[in-house]
Amino acid sequence: MNINREQTTIIKGIAITMMILFHLFGCNDSYEQSHLYTSYSHIPHLFSLFCGNTVAAFVLITGYATSLKKNYDNLNIKQILKKTFKLYITTWIIDIIFIPIILLTDQATFSLNVLLKTILCLPGSYNSMYWYIPAYIILLLLYKPIIKLNNYYWFPIILLILIVNVYNPLKEIGLLNFYLKNILNLLPFLKIGTTIHYISDRYLHLTKLNILLAISLPPIIGMCLLSYKIDIIYSVFCLIALPSFLIGVININSSMIKKIFILLGNQSMIIWLSHGFLFYYYYKFFYAPKFWLFIFISFLFSSYLVSIALQKIVKIIIK
């Protein structure tokens, strides 16, 4: 049985929520934001680090959606270029709205180099959240060769990923190294996405206890591994933990929670592309409440409202 459209939308909603948690509270000490919130424990920070798997969650859904026969048969260079063009047009519309605002309000200074990086969606742009777009295009191009690989090849691939992450042998080549590491880290989730409906079949009728375990154990174990900085084991653990966590959440028997994630899932792409401007340039406003939960709710709600307005503008331009 396939995962239905509502469930994929819920997963997108979960992923964008995880992304916002990660950006708000997963910053290292070099970011001013990391010193602007309070909590009664270290748990929000550790959980937000677990939420750093958000890009992997989107890749997992991409892997699943693209594996469906209709989408798989239609996946060719022409379709990839069409998706790429639409994605870039959307980012440029958001740029045209936000960049003048941040420049006129003295939140940033004009730089031709930074502007070019923004147009190309490269790291170091006015919105660093754009880095994933070139990686997404490369993943689509690699999709068919990757999923055709025999399962025996995945052990050396995962071993290569661990070596690249631990020893970072290509650190001298800058941007290429950045994309190589990220794409290698995401490849297994692309493959897992093609099989998640089989996993979902097995656990489709989860008991309340199993749902609770599927939702609670991955972040708890993940937070323990992160707190002790056991990065290699954590990287492998995430290959199992993330799909288990997502399957658990989509089986929650709460219509209100599902509706919230569906609303967020429908806006997930626009929230992803736009919330970086709010986070990087207007964060002091959102961190004003100090307590982490108030910060999270206000930022999530604001990002959602902004995305609705932006989506209406994008739909007018891209018909």
Side-chain angles (χ1 to χ4, degrees), residues 84-217:
T84 301
F85 182 71
K86 185 177 180 180
L87 199 51
Y88 270 93
I89 287 291
T90 304
T91 64
W92 294 336
I93 292 168
I94 293 171
D95 291 339
I96 289 168
I97 294 168
F98 272 104
I99 290 176
I101 294 173
I102 63 174
L103 293 177
L104 291 171
T105 56
D106 293 326
Q107 299 299 318
T109 55
F110 178 77
S111 166
L112 184 58
N113 181 42
V114 176
L115 182 61
L116 288 173
K117 288 180 179 178
T118 306
I119 293 169
L120 296 173
C121 298
L122 297 174
S125 68
Y126 283 113
N127 186 349
S128 294
M129 309 298 180
Y130 286 172
W131 72 265
Y132 172 62
I133 294 174
Y136 172 75
I137 296 160
I138 295 169
L139 286 169
L140 285 179
L141 290 169
L142 292 174
Y143 181 80
K144 285 191 175 181
I146 285 298
I147 67 164
K148 286 180 179 177
L149 280 178
N150 189 292
N151 290 335
Y152 294 111
Y153 289 103
W154 282 98
F155 177 75
I157 288 174
I158 291 171
L159 188 62
L160 174 64
I161 291 166
L162 295 175
I163 291 170
V164 169
N165 277 286
V166 173
Y167 296 103
N168 202 11
L170 301 175
K171 61 184 177 182
E172 301 299 327
I173 56 176
L175 187 62
L176 182 59
N177 178 53
F178 173 83
Y179 277 107
L180 177 64
K181 282 183 66 176
N182 279 291
I183 290 167
L184 277 174
N185 286 330
L186 294 171
L187 281 180
F189 293 100
L190 197 66
K191 176 66 174 179
I192 291 168
T194 66
T195 61
I196 193 171
H197 52 295
Y198 297 117
I199 301 170
S200 181
D201 273 350
R202 178 165 291 188
Y203 299 106
L204 193 61
H205 301 291
L206 286 170
T207 64
K208 289 182 179 179
L209 176 60
N210 286 340
I211 292 172
L212 179 63
L213 292 175
I215 295 170
S216 60
L217 283 183

Side-chain angles (χ1 to χ4, degrees), residues 217-237:
L217 283 183
I220 289 172
I221 296 172
M223 287 189 290
C224 289
L225 294 173
L226 285 165
S227 65
Y228 288 101
K229 301 186 185 303
I230 312 175
D231 296 337
I232 297 178
I233 297 175
Y234 177 73
S235 298
V236 177
F237 170 73

